[in-house]
Amino acid sequence: MSSAAVDLAESVLERLLAAGVTDVVLAPGSRNAPLAYAAWRADRLGRLRLHTRIDERTAGFLALGLTRMGARAAVVCTSGTAVANLHPAALEAAHSGVPLVLLTADRPARLRGTGANQTTDQVGIFGRLVDTHDVASIDDIPPDLVGPTPLHLNVQLDAPLVPAELPARLTVGQLGRENCGLDDEPSSSRSQFHRPAGETVTRLAPGPRTIVIAGDDAGPAARRLAEAAGWPLVAEPSSGSRTGANALRTGRLLLTTPLAERVQRVVVLGRPNLSRPVGRVIERGDVETYVVPAAGVWPMSPAGATVATAPTWSADGPDDPAWLDEWREADRELGRRIDRYLAEQPALTPYDVAGAVARALPPGGLLVVGASNPIRDLDLMHRPTPVGERRMVVANRGLAGIDGTVSSAIGAALGRPHSTRALALMGDLTFLHDANGLLIGPDEPRPDLTIVVPNDDGGSIFATLEQGAEPLATAFERLFGTPHGTDLASLCAAHRVPHLRVTSRPELDHALAAPNGGIEVVEVVVGRHDRRALDEALRGLAQAQ
């Protein structure tokens, strides 16, 4: 005999399955037990894939990574602080336009405000950025559960919270729906969830000296526009646009040179938030700026920009070829200077690591990049690749936090099982911040994923910012450098995750050339105390052109 809570949980899950949910990430608890049993049954029937994690923050980012790849995942947790631990993933999903489903368990309304254990006000806990529904019955769930924003279903569950018994035998169709087809390849990444309902075409005419800037998740439209018009393309690593003959490797540094002063028009797609030179050229008052609205919660920037949801080239042939040639030649020369300079360094640098990872990513591969320095290092070392090779580079750039990166990478690798190879690149602090992402039970799905960690024993990003200036050096290590001295090999061993520590370029290339399968960690020892000087030297190479 079932209970009202068990029936409601099964009905809620049924609605989610009908809306296309393919994966459920469960953080165990008492109040969410009915939801847990419903997900377990659906998993046994092959109708979804169940992942269990003991840490709600890890669970949230695992679901985020899965959904980012075009699947749709729901993360399920119990009441109280468990819900608050989903907030970082909810914010990242909101700002990057990922339709994550947050399924939280709560007391029935009559028990709220009575001082019951492990309770708080969960309705609207994620704020106005997340669509929240307080669910006392199945009628409280909106009819349309597919949209471009995160969805929070706060389900009121009353005792008894567990079924009287489990069925002796499970058969397909017990929950009223056929297999959801987990073997089907997603048609695309998360862009399938945020296509504009009605696009207006902005026709761009020849004349002004123009560059195309592709931020995170810009997609191939940025490349196609740049190639049609014959314009230089400055594309961030996670833009999905860093392919073809117009894409530049060193665009970020070239925007600090006199070439940038001659730019008269900018077309922006995606969310460019990786470098200050890009931001400065976009915000220049003498530059005509067109911005294609990005998915997620993002203000229009700059305020006076022209909105262009579908910019197209109006001429039959490309714009001034000499303009593109100048950028290409400058890009090739600066790239050669950077490579020569790095090759002359006596020890491994973080740029060497980023370059080695980029070279190890094959056609059809997946690379998840952590925030802070690694994605900026990759920005200078990742050469544009040929069109059509389907290399996917993704990052949590909604709020660009370091939290949840290990879990996001595991989720992305699980969500894109057809990748020829899955790699992740993240700094040591990012890795340690989400070390619980390695805490995976023996019966849980595991991807093949190589996690590369350039370990400089601290936060080198701050050495490149104002905090790293010499007059402030006395307080730097304690406040920003934050050395940790953690033995990553022992940490990995505690999780039974293979670990390899390398200290030279040949060792790094060898480690990346021979993945062992499953989740493995390659720790690369690099220096931190010369990071500011290294970055200044590379910027100086651009100015010397």
Side-chain angles (χ1 to χ4, degrees):
M1 181 177 178
S2 64
S3 68
V6 169
D7 290 343
L8 177 57
E10 291 187 352
S11 297
V12 169
L13 190 65
E14 187 65 33
R15 289 289 299 275
L16 292 177
L17 287 169
V21 167
T22 59
D23 292 74
V24 166
V25 183
L26 170 70
S30 177
R31 183 60 56 174
N32 66 333
L35 296 166
Y37 283 113
W40 177 81
R41 290 177 182 176
D43 175 74
R44 294 289 294 270
L45 292 170
R47 303 183 61 206
L48 58 77
R49 185 169 48 169
L50 178 63
H51 314 260
T52 302
R53 297 294 189 273
I54 66 169
D55 179 341
E56 285 82 9
R57 188 179 67 180
T58 287
F61 279 100
L62 176 64
L64 178 77
L66 285 160
T67 306
R68 193 182 290 277
M69 289 297 99
R72 198 166 194 204
V75 57
V76 181
C77 76
T78 192
S79 59
T81 58
V83 182
N85 278 302
L86 297 181
H87 207 162
L91 287 176
E92 174 62 32
H95 282 276
S96 45
V98 177
L100 179 66
V101 178
L102 307 140
L103 194 57
T104 61
D106 202 353
R107 266 65 175 171
R110 62 182 174 79
L111 294 180
R112 293 175 180 171
T114 62
N117 185 44
Q118 204 171 328
T119 62
T120 187
D121 185 359
Q122 297 177 191
V123 180
I125 194 171
F126 301 120
R128 62 181 179 83
L129 300 182
V130 176
D131 183 21
T132 297
H133 299 268
D134 196 21
V135 180
S137 73
I138 197 64
D139 295 332
D140 295 322
I141 298 180
D144 185 8
L145 296 181
V146 178
T149 59
L151 173 70
H152 176 207
L153 300 180
N154 187 63
V155 186
Q156 300 180 30
L157 298 169
D158 204 352
L161 298 171
V162 299
E165 60 182 2
L166 295 176
R169 185 166 178 267
L170 291 172
T171 58
V172 174
Q174 205 163 317
L175 290 181
R177 185 170 175 264
E178 293 302 314
N179 189 289
C180 63
L182 287 177
D183 292 332
D184 292 341
E185 179 179 332
S187 59
S188 66
S189 67
R190 59 196 156 120
S191 62
Q192 63 184 298
F193 296 113
H194 55 72
R195 295 192 182 102
E199 294 186 345
T200 58
V201 175
T202 301
R203 298 183 65 81
L204 300 170
R209 291 186 293 270
T210 305
I211 62 172
V212 177
I213 293 178
D216 180 66
D217 200 33
R223 173 190 60 80
R224 289 195 291 263
L225 175 63
E227 290 180 348
W231 293 330
L233 172 60
V234 179
E236 294 182 1
S238 62
S239 64
S241 315
R242 202 174 180 124
T243 58
N246 291 43
L248 306 173
R249 168 187 166 185
T250 64
R252 180 177 96 216
L253 292 183
L254 291 178
L255 287 176
T256 67
T257 71
L259 261 180
E261 298 171 7
R262 296 165 54 203
V263 172
Q264 297 173 324
R265 181 170 59 187
V266 174
V267 184
V268 182
L269 297 90
R271 296 177 301 277
N273 61 0
L274 193 58
S275 71
R276 295 179 181 181
V278 168
R280 283 195 290 267
V281 74
I282 292 174
E283 294 171 2
R284 264 174 41 192
D286 62 334
V287 171
E288 184 181 4
T289 304
Y290 290 84
V291 175
V292 178
V297 181
W298 284 87
M300 178 59 68
S301 178
T306 300
V307 176
T309 57
T312 60
W313 179 234
S314 64
D316 294 331
D319 212 344
D320 181 10
W323 175 243
L324 175 61
D325 289 343
E326 282 189 80
W327 283 84
R328 280 175 169 167
E329 179 55 36
D331 184 52
R332 284 191 292 266
E333 176 57 29
L334 182 53
R336 287 192 288 264
R337 289 175 182 233
I338 290 172
D339 291 339
R340 283 196 299 267
Y341 182 84
L342 294 175
E344 293 167 356
Q345 303 310 302
L348 267 173
T349 70
Y351 290 101
D352 292 315
V353 182
V357 170
R359 291 191 299 273
L361 183 67
L366 168 69
L367 173 59
V368 180
V369 192
S372 196
N373 272 335
I375 193 165
R376 291 171 172 82
D377 299 341
L378 187 71
D379 189 39
L380 288 187
M381 301 304 293
H382 181 26
R383 291 174 171 82
T385 55
V387 176
E389 292 192 347
R390 301 188 64 79
R391 290 177 176 89
M392 178 171 282
V393 180
V394 297
N396 287 342
R397 299 304 299 172
L399 290 181
I402 67 169
D403 46 347
T405 306
V406 173
S407 302
S408 293
I410 292 173
L414 287 168
R416 193 175 187 250
H418 61 279
S419 295
T420 55
R421 185 176 187 188
L423 288 152
L425 173 67
M426 65 190 74
D428 50 317
L429 293 187
T430 299
F431 178 75
L432 292 172
H433 202 287
D434 192 30
N436 268 3
L438 300 178
L439 185 54
I440 304 173
D443 299 324
E444 299 304 311
R446 287 173 179 255
D448 293 328
L449 174 67
T450 302
I451 303 174
V452 182
V453 183
N455 184 1
D456 58 13
D457 193 33
S460 62
I461 181 68
F462 297 109
T464 68
L465 303 176
E466 294 84 349
Q467 295 95 323
E470 183 60 32
L472 305 175
T474 304
F476 181 82
E477 280 295 279
R478 183 72 184 278
L479 298 181
F480 302 104
T482 57
H484 51 79
T486 302
D487 184 349
L488 267 59
S490 297
L491 176 63
C492 291
H495 292 288
R496 294 182 173 85
V497 171
H499 166 276
L500 182 62
R501 186 175 187 265
V502 301
T503 59
S504 69
R505 293 179 181 91
E507 286 180 328
L508 174 58
D509 289 336
H510 179 73
L512 293 178
N516 296 310
I519 300 173
E520 58 182 350
V521 174
V522 177
E523 175 190 0
V524 190
V525 179
V526 296
R528 174 165 58 85
H529 295 287
D530 62 346
R531 180 64 202 237
R532 187 178 183 89
L534 176 63
D535 280 24
E536 288 176 347
L538 296 186
R539 288 195 296 271
L541 294 177
Q543 302 305 314
Q545 292 208 141

PDB file of all heavy atoms in Angstrom, residues 532-545:
ATOM      1  N   ARG A 532      53.506  36.782 -12.306  1.00  0.00           N
ATOM      2  CA  ARG A 532      53.267  38.160 -12.739  1.00  0.00           C
ATOM      3  C   ARG A 532      54.292  38.563 -13.800  1.00  0.00           C
ATOM      4  O   ARG A 532      53.926  39.160 -14.828  1.00  0.00           O
ATOM      5  CB  ARG A 532      53.346  39.102 -11.532  1.00  0.00           C
ATOM      6  CG  ARG A 532      52.944  40.542 -11.861  1.00  0.00           C
ATOM      7  CD  ARG A 532      53.001  41.426 -10.627  1.00  0.00           C
ATOM      8  NE  ARG A 532      52.550  42.780 -10.911  1.00  0.00           N
ATOM      9  CZ  ARG A 532      51.300  43.202 -10.821  1.00  0.00           C
ATOM     10  NH1 ARG A 532      50.356  42.349 -10.458  1.00  0.00           N
ATOM     11  NH2 ARG A 532      50.973  44.456 -11.086  1.00  0.00           N
ATOM     12  N   ALA A 533      55.545  38.216 -13.584  1.00  0.00           N
ATOM     13  CA  ALA A 533      56.588  38.556 -14.551  1.00  0.00           C
ATOM     14  C   ALA A 533      56.361  37.831 -15.878  1.00  0.00           C
ATOM     15  O   ALA A 533      56.592  38.394 -16.956  1.00  0.00           O
ATOM     16  CB  ALA A 533      57.964  38.207 -13.987  1.00  0.00           C
ATOM     17  N   LEU A 534      55.891  36.588 -15.811  1.00  0.00           N
ATOM     18  CA  LEU A 534      55.628  35.818 -17.028  1.00  0.00           C
ATOM     19  C   LEU A 534      54.542  36.490 -17.858  1.00  0.00           C
ATOM     20  O   LEU A 534      54.688  36.659 -19.078  1.00  0.00           O
ATOM     21  CB  LEU A 534      55.224  34.392 -16.652  1.00  0.00           C
ATOM     22  CG  LEU A 534      54.824  33.466 -17.794  1.00  0.00           C
ATOM     23  CD1 LEU A 534      55.992  33.251 -18.743  1.00  0.00           C
ATOM     24  CD2 LEU A 534      54.318  32.136 -17.248  1.00  0.00           C
ATOM     25  N   ASP A 535      53.457  36.879 -17.228  1.00  0.00           N
ATOM     26  CA  ASP A 535      52.367  37.514 -17.965  1.00  0.00           C
ATOM     27  C   ASP A 535      52.787  38.870 -18.517  1.00  0.00           C
ATOM     28  O   ASP A 535      52.406  39.252 -19.635  1.00  0.00           O
ATOM     29  CB  ASP A 535      51.144  37.664 -17.062  1.00  0.00           C
ATOM     30  CG  ASP A 535      50.363  36.369 -16.953  1.00  0.00           C
ATOM     31  OD1 ASP A 535      50.966  35.298 -17.158  1.00  0.00           O
ATOM     32  OD2 ASP A 535      49.154  36.412 -16.671  1.00  0.00           O
ATOM     33  N   GLU A 536      53.569  39.624 -17.751  1.00  0.00           N
ATOM     34  CA  GLU A 536      54.054  40.909 -18.237  1.00  0.00           C
ATOM     35  C   GLU A 536      54.953  40.729 -19.450  1.00  0.00           C
ATOM     36  O   GLU A 536      54.916  41.524 -20.403  1.00  0.00           O
ATOM     37  CB  GLU A 536      54.802  41.639 -17.118  1.00  0.00           C
ATOM     38  CG  GLU A 536      53.877  42.173 -16.032  1.00  0.00           C
ATOM     39  CD  GLU A 536      54.648  42.813 -14.887  1.00  0.00           C
ATOM     40  OE1 GLU A 536      55.891  42.624 -14.832  1.00  0.00           O
ATOM     41  OE2 GLU A 536      54.025  43.490 -14.053  1.00  0.00           O
ATOM     42  N   ALA A 537      55.754  39.667 -19.442  1.00  0.00           N
ATOM     43  CA  ALA A 537      56.626  39.399 -20.582  1.00  0.00           C
ATOM     44  C   ALA A 537      55.826  39.088 -21.838  1.00  0.00           C
ATOM     45  O   ALA A 537      56.151  39.568 -22.935  1.00  0.00           O
ATOM     46  CB  ALA A 537      57.570  38.243 -20.253  1.00  0.00           C
ATOM     47  N   LEU A 538      54.754  38.308 -21.698  1.00  0.00           N
ATOM     48  CA  LEU A 538      53.932  37.979 -22.869  1.00  0.00           C
ATOM     49  C   LEU A 538      53.200  39.210 -23.391  1.00  0.00           C
ATOM     50  O   LEU A 538      53.075  39.394 -24.607  1.00  0.00           O
ATOM     51  CB  LEU A 538      52.939  36.874 -22.508  1.00  0.00           C
ATOM     52  CG  LEU A 538      53.548  35.517 -22.123  1.00  0.00           C
ATOM     53  CD1 LEU A 538      52.457  34.479 -21.926  1.00  0.00           C
ATOM     54  CD2 LEU A 538      54.549  35.047 -23.163  1.00  0.00           C
ATOM     55  N   ARG A 539      52.718  40.048 -22.493  1.00  0.00           N
ATOM     56  CA  ARG A 539      52.088  41.291 -22.956  1.00  0.00           C
ATOM     57  C   ARG A 539      53.108  42.188 -23.658  1.00  0.00           C
ATOM     58  O   ARG A 539      52.791  42.878 -24.632  1.00  0.00           O
ATOM     59  CB  ARG A 539      51.450  42.026 -21.777  1.00  0.00           C
ATOM     60  CG  ARG A 539      50.195  41.358 -21.243  1.00  0.00           C
ATOM     61  CD  ARG A 539      49.418  42.302 -20.344  1.00  0.00           C
ATOM     62  NE  ARG A 539      50.161  42.660 -19.149  1.00  0.00           N
ATOM     63  CZ  ARG A 539      50.120  41.975 -18.008  1.00  0.00           C
ATOM     64  NH1 ARG A 539      49.368  40.876 -17.921  1.00  0.00           N
ATOM     65  NH2 ARG A 539      50.812  42.362 -16.966  1.00  0.00           N
ATOM     66  N   GLY A 540      54.355  42.152 -23.157  1.00  0.00           N
ATOM     67  CA  GLY A 540      55.411  42.941 -23.789  1.00  0.00           C
ATOM     68  C   GLY A 540      55.717  42.478 -25.204  1.00  0.00           C
ATOM     69  O   GLY A 540      56.063  43.289 -26.063  1.00  0.00           O
ATOM     70  N   LEU A 541      55.576  41.181 -25.457  1.00  0.00           N
ATOM     71  CA  LEU A 541      55.798  40.673 -26.812  1.00  0.00           C
ATOM     72  C   LEU A 541      54.796  41.269 -27.786  1.00  0.00           C
ATOM     73  O   LEU A 541      55.118  41.521 -28.950  1.00  0.00           O
ATOM     74  CB  LEU A 541      55.688  39.144 -26.814  1.00  0.00           C
ATOM     75  CG  LEU A 541      56.753  38.369 -26.026  1.00  0.00           C
ATOM     76  CD1 LEU A 541      56.450  36.872 -26.074  1.00  0.00           C
ATOM     77  CD2 LEU A 541      58.144  38.651 -26.581  1.00  0.00           C
ATOM     78  N   ALA A 542      53.566  41.475 -27.325  1.00  0.00           N
ATOM     79  CA  ALA A 542      52.554  42.084 -28.187  1.00  0.00           C
ATOM     80  C   ALA A 542      52.899  43.540 -28.490  1.00  0.00           C
ATOM     81  O   ALA A 542      52.736  44.014 -29.623  1.00  0.00           O
ATOM     82  CB  ALA A 542      51.179  41.993 -27.533  1.00  0.00           C
ATOM     83  N   GLN A 543      53.389  44.252 -27.495  1.00  0.00           N
ATOM     84  CA  GLN A 543      53.710  45.659 -27.689  1.00  0.00           C
ATOM     85  C   GLN A 543      54.943  45.852 -28.569  1.00  0.00           C
ATOM     86  O   GLN A 543      55.121  46.899 -29.179  1.00  0.00           O
ATOM     87  CB  GLN A 543      53.943  46.336 -26.330  1.00  0.00           C
ATOM     88  CG  GLN A 543      52.766  46.241 -25.380  1.00  0.00           C
ATOM     89  CD  GLN A 543      51.482  46.770 -25.992  1.00  0.00           C
ATOM     90  OE1 GLN A 543      51.486  47.838 -26.602  1.00  0.00           O
ATOM     91  NE2 GLN A 543      50.392  46.037 -25.833  1.00  0.00           N
ATOM     92  N   ALA A 544      55.786  44.823 -28.651  1.00  0.00           N
ATOM     93  CA  ALA A 544      57.030  44.935 -29.413  1.00  0.00           C
ATOM     94  C   ALA A 544      56.826  44.731 -30.906  1.00  0.00           C
ATOM     95  O   ALA A 544      57.767  44.875 -31.686  1.00  0.00           O
ATOM     96  CB  ALA A 544      58.049  43.919 -28.888  1.00  0.00           C
ATOM     97  N   GLN A 545      55.602  44.358 -31.315  1.00  0.00           N
ATOM     98  CA  GLN A 545      55.367  44.083 -32.748  1.00  0.00           C
ATOM     99  C   GLN A 545      55.411  45.375 -33.577  1.00  0.00           C
ATOM    100  O   GLN A 545      54.999  46.421 -33.136  1.00  0.00           O
ATOM    101  CB  GLN A 545      54.020  43.383 -32.929  1.00  0.00           C
ATOM    102  CG  GLN A 545      54.014  41.981 -32.350  1.00  0.00           C
ATOM    103  CD  GLN A 545      53.031  41.081 -33.079  1.00  0.00           C
ATOM    104  OE1 GLN A 545      53.330  39.936 -33.304  1.00  0.00           O
ATOM    105  NE2 GLN A 545      51.882  41.572 -33.481  1.00  0.00           N
TER     106      GLN A 545
END
